[in-house]
Amino acid sequence: MVLCPVVALVSLIALVCSKSARYTVPTNYLLLFLFTFGETGIVAEVTSKLEVFSVIMSIAALALVVGILFVSALFTKISANLFRNLSIGILLAVAA
């Protein structure tokens, strides 16, 4: 599916390069929708070529990182601790 990366790239370039496209209400919604649609197609194409176990393990790693970020955001007082907790969470997710 060649169309999805092209749509994602063109809409991303339009959002990054044009200040009026970023701040005009109907235009930015349309460009964000097109970018999301393009990225969804890219992710769907990549995951369709993977084994089921790989996809399940990536979903589990994502859930672990999001859970650790949520817990550390609840209990962190300053941003330096958040960065440390984030780093530990990512290392644990990658090691798992």
Side-chain angles (χ1 to χ4, degrees):
M1 197 165 183
V2 178
L3 182 64
C4 289
V6 172
V7 168
L9 187 63
V10 168
S11 61
L12 181 64
I13 289 172
L15 282 168
V16 169
C17 294
S18 174
K19 190 173 183 177
S20 65
R22 276 191 307 250
Y23 293 118
T24 306
V25 172
T27 307
N28 62 0
Y29 287 148
L30 177 66
L31 289 172
L32 286 171
F33 171 76
L34 289 173
F35 176 73
T36 305
F37 174 75
E39 288 295 316
T40 303
I42 293 170
V43 170
E45 185 174 346
V46 169
T47 54
S48 71
K49 294 177 175 32
L50 295 175
E51 295 179 10
V52 174
F53 182 73
S54 300
V55 175
I56 291 173
M57 287 306 293
S58 3
I59 292 171
L62 175 68
L64 181 67
V65 169
V66 169
I68 290 171
L69 283 173
F70 178 74
V71 170
S72 65
L74 285 176
F75 296 110
T76 302
K77 300 283 188 219
I78 59 173
S79 62
N81 287 338
L82 179 62
F83 180 71
R84 184 191 69 215
N85 294 340
L86 172 65
S87 302
I88 292 170
I90 290 174
L91 285 175
L92 287 174
V94 170

